[in-house]
Amino acid sequence: MKEFADAAGENMTSKTDDRKNRQVVQGVQRMTPSEAFVETLVAQGVTDIFGIMGSAFMDAMDIFTPAGIRFISTVHEQGAGHMADGYSRASGRQGVVIGQNGPGISNCVTAIAAAYWAHSPVVIVTPEAGTRTMGLGGFQECNQLPMFQEFTRYQAHVNHPARMAEYTARAFDRALSELGPTQLNIPRDYFYGDIQTEIPQPIRVERGAGGRESLDRAADLLANAKFPVIVSGGGVVMADGVDACRALAERLGAAVVNSYQHNDSFPASHPLWCGPLGYQGSKAGMKLIAQADVVLALGTRLGPFGTLPQHGMDYWPKDAQIIQVDADHRMLGLVKKISVGICGDAKEAALALLDRLQGRTLAGDATKAERAEKIRAEKAAWEQELDAWTHETDPYSLDMIREQQGETPFSGGQYLHPRQALRELERALPPDVMVSTDIGNINSVAHSYLRFERPRSFFAPMSFGNCGYAFPTIIGAKVAAPHRPAVAYVGDGAWGMSFGEILTCVRHDIPVTPVVFHNRQWGAEKKNQVDFYSRRFVAGDLESPSFAGIAQAMGAEGIVADRPEDVGPVLKKAIDLQMNHGRTCIVEVMCTRELGDPFRRDALSKPVRYLEKYRDYV
């Protein structure tokens, strides 16, 4: 950009952005709107953009390279949106996705919805049809703001070329301050022109601990608690507050459970860690929180799906005092009745509470050792149960295992029990690993087997629960953290939606390790047909060729694991290919068709039929 301006005879001043060692334009300058857009990206620290090229933004894309921005061209725009989400969640910075106006942008809606429920600061740039033809039903024309309205925290529409830098900066600033996706909508003809503008510097909002009165009341409750339990949520990760949460837990001697799908919000090696709540979570954590007299919900909205009964236990404590900390005041008391609500940053709130407890005699001090032993015993019992729980025990699963005794997969081995495979994968994962999981039966069961030592390590599809999430998301996370091993857990149904992004890995040298559980069915939905529809299976089977073979044909590596003793070594080999040879390797795990607990026991009822021809379908 500097060379271009000097050649044009402009007197441009600049300073060095030390973090990326790039030049950031200073002062009011003459430039095109495309230059204003790209220079604002530079000021915001953008180095990678995911998407598919298009004529609507080609004038800006033409100068990405001299600006130090890599454009990662994907196979599908939904994949690009998930990659931007993974990038955000791994880095804490804004992920960026862009595509052609109309169909390119509409392909991103699902990914932006997933990012919204993950509170990911994703910026989706939506070039729009030209202003002179809008409303005439032109090529690839649609109204692009309403389709993202429900899933964005802020929508910026550039209403004049001279305001390009202003709106671009605001979209990026709001993504971080609002903790969620924002949309930057730009009519395609507004990339062109001749403007005088200044590139805004980023605005970063510093969050506080919350109100003094609410913090004082919360500290008093904790000081008088005899059995405090902390729920460490996604807000702890986003606030970089794990160390603060750990210090507070140690002061209280409190058991710490992860909120649903936030297994990386507290180190699993810590004696006070008790595992995740929610679907397919930790029995130890559930049994312990059931005994709590005070619960500190730190950085979590306490979503309904993350506190549902599980393993036959309605574990949420009925009489406990609940302290909830959330950066969004609208989440306080929304799902669970609370005693104290603190609108504040999870890290700062934890530090403020810790400060208030220093020097005080706590009611729980006398029972710290007793509670520590109870925590240890419950965790040991749960680990022992997981070791013994090698396969599901419902009659349907046993029937399917018997049917498969005569079958042999590609390499002549045997079909693995999903829990057996998950335990072996857990043991083989490296300490610094990042893992994404997709939606589905086996991936949900995996929650009990995924443990992490540091935050920004676990990426799940959260409340939107869309298939095809895990693989592109881990690609984005790998771009943000190329030094860390990156593994995706994917069912064969979701894999069919996303495996095309193998080409993105190969084309752009982004090595990751997808683990595909090949059980030849839509497992979660098939379980509903078992429990509610008398095993009348409709549209649930997914017979497929070798996924490892397909990967090899696409230029990646592929290995089949069909014996228990092979699962760990195969995963380690695949990660070695990723980290030391720059190769994407698909690990295809051949699984039985046995099924875990239903995905949504609360969402279905036994069918009722009135018409004669349907009477047998009950």
Side-chain angles (χ1 to χ4, degrees):
M1 295 298 295
K2 183 178 187 296
E3 290 80 0
F4 179 84
D6 286 346
E10 300 293 338
N11 181 18
M12 178 178 285
T13 60
S14 63
K15 70 176 183 179
T16 299
D17 178 351
D18 292 330
R19 187 170 64 85
K20 297 299 179 184
N21 198 28
R22 296 185 294 174
Q23 299 298 308
V24 179
V25 171
Q26 293 288 291
V28 176
Q29 302 288 338
R30 178 188 177 192
M31 61 187 78
T32 69
S34 284
E35 291 173 313
F37 169 70
V38 173
E39 280 299 315
T40 307
L41 300 183
V42 172
Q44 292 284 341
V46 175
T47 56
D48 299 279
I49 296 177
F50 304 92
I52 295 179
M53 66 181 298
S55 61
F57 63 99
M58 194 165 285
D59 192 65
M61 186 177 67
D62 183 56
I63 54 176
F64 282 174
T65 298
I69 296 172
R70 175 172 60 156
F71 186 71
I72 298 175
S73 182
T74 65
V75 174
H76 192 275
E77 289 91 352
Q78 180 177 328
H82 287 315
M83 291 177 205
D85 185 358
Y87 184 97
S88 287
R89 295 179 71 178
S91 68
R93 304 191 302 274
Q94 302 98 326
V96 187
V97 56
I98 192 170
Q100 177 70 3
N101 63 264
I105 294 309
S106 65
N107 281 343
C108 293
V109 173
T110 293
I112 297 305
Y116 176 84
W117 286 105
H119 302 286
S120 297
V122 170
V123 178
I124 178 167
V125 183
T126 58
E128 191 176 50
T131 57
R132 294 185 179 182
T133 60
M134 288 187 67
L136 302 180
F139 183 62
Q140 296 181 327
E141 179 186 341
C142 65
N143 192 348
Q144 297 180 171
L145 290 170
M147 68 174 72
F148 292 100
Q149 183 175 1
E150 186 177 350
F151 302 120
T152 50
R153 306 290 288 183
Y154 172 72
Q155 293 178 295
H157 174 71
V158 177
N159 57 16
H160 192 279
R163 301 186 72 181
M164 177 72 83
E166 172 195 346
Y167 277 118
T168 301
R170 191 168 297 136
F172 275 83
D173 290 341
R174 292 282 182 90
L176 283 181
S177 64
E178 298 285 338
L179 290 176
T182 60
Q183 180 184 7
L184 175 61
N185 197 64
I186 310 170
R188 59 185 296 159
D189 51 317
Y190 283 5
F191 283 98
Y192 303 91
D194 186 336
I195 62 175
Q196 293 280 335
T197 193
E198 183 174 9
I199 305 303
Q201 294 303 301
I203 298 173
R204 298 294 177 258
V205 175
E206 184 179 11
R207 291 184 174 83
R212 182 178 61 187
E213 181 180 344
S214 57
L215 287 166
D216 287 344
R217 289 169 55 206
D220 288 341
L221 284 178
L222 291 170
N224 291 310
K226 296 179 180 178
F227 205 110
V229 174
I230 296 175
V231 182
S232 183
V236 174
V237 174
M238 287 181 279
D240 295 322
V242 171
D243 288 342
C245 179
R246 177 170 51 207
L248 181 58
E250 289 171 351
R251 176 67 186 91
L252 294 168
V256 181
V257 294
N258 308 111
S259 68
Y260 181 60
Q261 293 193 329
H262 289 294
N263 297 29
D264 58 345
S265 63
F266 201 79
S269 63
H270 196 283
L272 294 174
W273 172 84
C274 300
L277 297 181
Y279 182 48
Q280 294 288 354
S282 164
K283 280 189 181 181
M286 295 172 192
K287 289 180 178 179
L288 288 161
I289 198 171
Q291 302 173 56
D293 58 349
V294 176
V295 174
L296 172 60
L298 188 61
T300 171
R301 65 188 183 91
L302 294 174
F305 194 54
T307 54
L308 285 174
Q310 185 66 189
H311 304 307
M313 294 185 289
D314 188 4
Y315 55 84
W316 189 257
K318 302 296 188 295
D319 300 320
Q321 302 285 319
I322 311 296
I323 304 163
Q324 186 181 9
V325 179
D326 201 287
D328 185 348
H329 70 92
R330 293 170 295 185
M331 298 298 105
L332 298 175
L334 180 65
V335 180
K336 296 293 185 184
K337 182 180 178 181
I338 62 175
S339 304
V340 179
I342 299 172
C343 181
D345 177 84
K347 175 183 176 180
E348 295 302 321
L351 292 174
L353 291 171
L354 182 62
D355 184 64
R356 282 165 168 76
L357 295 174
Q358 298 294 4
R360 295 182 66 169
T361 300
L362 308 184
D365 285 345
T367 58
K368 256 189 180 182
E370 178 185 340
R371 284 181 287 123
E373 175 55 27
K374 185 172 290 188
I375 291 168
R376 187 205 63 76
E378 290 291 2
K379 288 166 60 176
W382 176 231
E383 290 304 310
Q384 187 175 8
E385 182 174 351
L386 284 177
D387 284 337
W389 198 356
T390 56
H391 61 82
E392 306 300 339
T393 57
D394 65 275
Y396 172 72
S397 289
L398 293 174
D399 289 345
M400 294 307 299
I401 294 169
R402 294 188 191 103
E403 288 176 18
Q404 291 166 352
Q405 285 177 349
E407 297 184 72
T408 55
F410 308 123
S411 61
Q414 61 185 351
Y415 287 96
L416 298 173
H417 303 300
R419 287 186 177 275
Q420 188 178 40
L422 289 167
R423 197 58 152 173
E424 295 301 323
L425 289 167
E426 174 203 337
R427 291 170 176 149
L429 288 171
D432 198 31
V433 72
M434 300 183 292
V435 178
S436 64
T437 56
D438 222 289
I439 197 76
N441 196 270
I442 296 178
N443 284 286
S444 297
V445 173
H447 288 162
S448 293
Y449 301 90
L450 289 170
R451 297 97 188 276
F452 302 95
E453 292 304 310
R454 58 177 290 188
R456 303 196 183 279
S457 297
F458 183 43
F459 316 113
M462 311 308 297
S463 299
F464 202 60
N466 66 288
C467 283
Y469 170 89
F471 182 35
T473 297
I474 206 64
I475 295 172
K478 183 69 174 182
V479 172
H483 58 287
R484 297 184 65 187
V487 175
Y489 282 11
V490 193
D492 47 6
W495 185 243
M497 295 183 178
S498 57
F499 75 87
E501 299 300 344
I502 291 174
L503 295 175
T504 301
C505 297
V506 172
R507 290 166 176 167
H508 295 280
D509 296 320
I510 308 171
V512 298
T513 305
V515 177
V516 184
F517 300 102
H518 194 162
N519 65 350
R520 299 152 289 144
Q521 63 187 357
W522 289 108
E525 300 303 342
K526 204 167 184 180
K527 180 63 173 174
N528 288 328
Q529 292 174 330
V530 171
D531 289 347
F532 294 94
Y533 296 97
S534 300
R535 303 188 188 182
R536 292 189 297 273
F537 299 124
V538 179
D541 290 335
L542 296 172
E543 296 298 339
S544 304
S546 167
F547 294 130
I550 293 172
Q552 291 166 4
M554 296 173 74
E557 304 288 342
I559 312 175
V560 174
D562 52 15
R563 283 180 287 262
E565 63 271 19
D566 291 342
V567 173
V570 163
L571 180 64
K572 289 179 179 179
K573 179 179 179 180
I575 292 176
D576 177 68
L577 285 168
Q578 176 193 153
M579 300 304 296
N580 298 317
H581 304 278
R583 299 286 291 169
T584 290
C585 181
I586 284 72
V587 175
E588 184 176 12
V589 181
M590 306 304 296
C591 293
T592 67
R593 282 175 162 161
E594 62 194 278
L595 299 167
D597 285 343
F599 186 60
R600 288 293 305 275
R601 196 181 294 275
D602 64 315
L604 290 169
S605 301
K606 289 287 186 180
V608 176
R609 309 290 183 225
Y610 294 104
L611 295 179
E612 183 65 32
K613 63 180 178 179
Y614 301 131
R615 288 286 172 84
D616 292 336
Y617 286 78
V618 293

